[in-house]
Amino acid sequence: MHADMEKVISHYDSSSSVHVATAQCESNSGSGTGKALCDSFNLPYYPYIIYGNSGTKSGEYNGARSYADMVSFIDNHYSGVPATDLKFCDNKVVV
């Protein structure tokens, strides 16, 4: 899944309306770390994918973890939504 997530991140790299990112939940070096982010969303295991707008969790992604499936989900749910702050955090999180 990691390679597909990297492709998804690259796919939306220049998008102004969709942001896709990962977080290292094991990192524990203070606020602003992956662990703090994961803890704030009470993520029970990794990889775990959540989605939302402007840093607010809207739901959990339970679809297939392939590049094509994740891009299709994002495009179908967030295409054309201005200023969306959607963050997918793989192998570790999503916000």
Side-chain angles (χ1 to χ4, degrees):
M1 181 178 110
H2 183 74
D4 283 332
M5 181 57 73
E6 291 298 320
K7 286 171 55 179
V8 171
I9 290 169
S10 179
H11 181 89
Y12 293 103
D13 190 43
S14 63
S15 173
S16 62
S17 63
V18 174
H19 178 72
V20 181
T22 64
Q24 296 285 336
C25 290
E26 299 84 20
S27 300
N28 191 15
S29 49
S31 64
T33 66
K35 177 146 180 40
L37 179 64
C38 295
D39 289 349
S40 72
F41 286 98
N42 299 313
L43 301 178
Y45 57 85
Y46 321 111
Y48 200 84
I49 299 177
I50 63 173
Y51 57 90
N53 291 311
S54 300
T56 301
K57 178 181 171 183
S58 297
E60 300 169 6
Y61 177 74
N62 294 310
R65 304 296 175 98
S66 72
Y67 165 78
D69 288 313
M70 289 186 284
V71 167
S72 177
F73 175 84
I74 294 168
D75 288 348
N76 287 330
H77 290 84
Y78 292 95
S79 179
V81 177
T84 298
D85 185 17
L86 173 71
K87 298 177 183 176
F88 268 76
C89 300
D90 100 310
N91 123 323
K92 319 218 173 171
V93 188
V94 185
V95 184

